Amino acid sequence: MGKKLLDILRDKIRVKHYSISTEKTYIHWNKRYILFHNKKHPKDMGKTEIEQFLTHLAIDLNVSPTTQNQAFNAILFYILIF
């Protein structure tokens, strides 16, 4: 059995020597993103799913634009490594 997606993400973050806080943040947002879409694989998601998640953060959870941007950057990093 291969590594889990978030473990692969963690490895990629460490190869790039990102800080531990960035690693934790990126793992957090990507886990929430995947769970929001009922554990759908990121390779099967695209722009629409990202927009749905970010809209959910803004409308339903009333997060700040800075937090939305942080979540977007975490998801973008994740998508680019796969």
Side-chain angles (χ1 to χ4, degrees):
M1 185 163 135
K3 281 189 166 187
K4 293 181 179 181
L5 293 174
L6 295 177
D7 291 333
I8 295 168
L9 175 63
R10 183 175 285 110
D11 291 346
K12 298 287 185 177
I13 291 169
R14 289 183 180 177
V15 164
K16 293 193 171 286
H17 303 288
Y18 286 11
S19 72
I20 294 298
S21 67
T22 299
E23 176 183 322
K24 288 178 182 179
T25 300
Y26 278 24
I27 297 295
H28 167 81
W29 284 118
N30 280 288
K31 185 175 181 178
R32 286 183 65 175
Y33 173 64
I34 292 167
L35 292 174
F36 178 79
H37 288 293
N38 300 310
K39 298 183 181 179
K40 194 173 179 182
H41 196 289
K43 72 177 181 174
D44 299 326
M45 295 190 277
K47 180 182 175 190
T48 302
E49 287 83 5
I50 294 170
E51 288 174 350
Q52 289 170 346
F53 181 67
L54 296 176
T55 300
H56 162 71
L57 293 178
I59 303 298
D60 301 331
L61 302 181
N62 199 33
V63 302
S64 71
T66 303
T67 302
Q68 255 187 301
N69 193 44
Q70 183 182 67
F72 173 70
N73 286 320
I75 295 165
L76 185 61
F77 180 87
Y78 188 75
I79 289 168
L80 292 175
I81 64 168
F82 286 99

